[in-house]
């Protein structure tokens, strides 16, 4: 799990996601399934009780606090949906 602070922390993972182009499946708002090397991982994007935007993924890298490309792939969908909700 990591706290989303800005786009700069995501740059490396964005590069990787662009190369790998994982499949992102919508589960419900804030919850996505992303294809990885060993099947699907679940990515959850939410605001915690202190108002921080947190992203968690079920892969090994994210367990150690790394920003993985699954998170970034799900985030790009999540941000698009959140924006659409805000303007609806
Ligand atoms: Zn991951």
């Amino acid at each position: 799990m990591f706290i989303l602070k800005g786009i700069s922390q995501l740059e490396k993972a964005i590069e990787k996601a662009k190369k790998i182009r994982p499949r992102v499946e919508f589960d419900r708002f804030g919850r996505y399934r992303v294809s990885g090397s060993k099947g699907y991982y679940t990515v959850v994007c939410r605001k915690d009780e202190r108002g921080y935007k947190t992203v968690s993924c079920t892969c090994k890298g994210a367990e150690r606090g790394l920003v993985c490309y699954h998170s970034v792939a799900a985030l790009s969908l999540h941000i698009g949906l959140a924006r659409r909700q805000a303007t609806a």
Side-chain angles (χ1 to χ4, degrees):
M1 193 271 276
F2 66 91
I3 295 169
L4 183 61
K5 297 189 190 100
I7 197 82
S8 59
Q9 74 187 124
L10 306 176
E11 274 168 3
K12 270 191 190 156
I14 289 172
E15 283 305 308
K16 197 165 178 188
K18 275 184 188 162
K19 263 183 219 154
I20 298 171
R21 295 188 167 277
R23 265 179 74 90
V24 182
E25 288 179 6
F26 179 79
D27 184 354
R28 61 170 185 266
F29 184 71
R31 191 182 170 96
Y32 311 93
R33 295 188 338 126
V34 184
S35 66
S37 54
K38 289 181 179 132
Y40 277 86
Y41 298 109
T42 301
V43 177
V44 176
C45 311
R46 65 183 197 96
K47 262 189 194 156
D48 74 4
E49 41 301 322
R50 291 166 300 171
Y52 291 116
K53 288 174 189 158
T54 66
V55 183
S56 58
C57 176
T58 51
C59 77
K60 280 273 177 282
E63 258 173 34
R64 290 185 284 137
L66 299 175
V67 179
C68 61
Y69 71 91
H70 320 112
S71 296
V72 168
L75 258 179
S76 64
L77 176 62
H78 180 70
I79 289 166
L81 292 172
R83 207 169 279 154
R84 219 173 298 161
Q85 273 198 346
T87 54

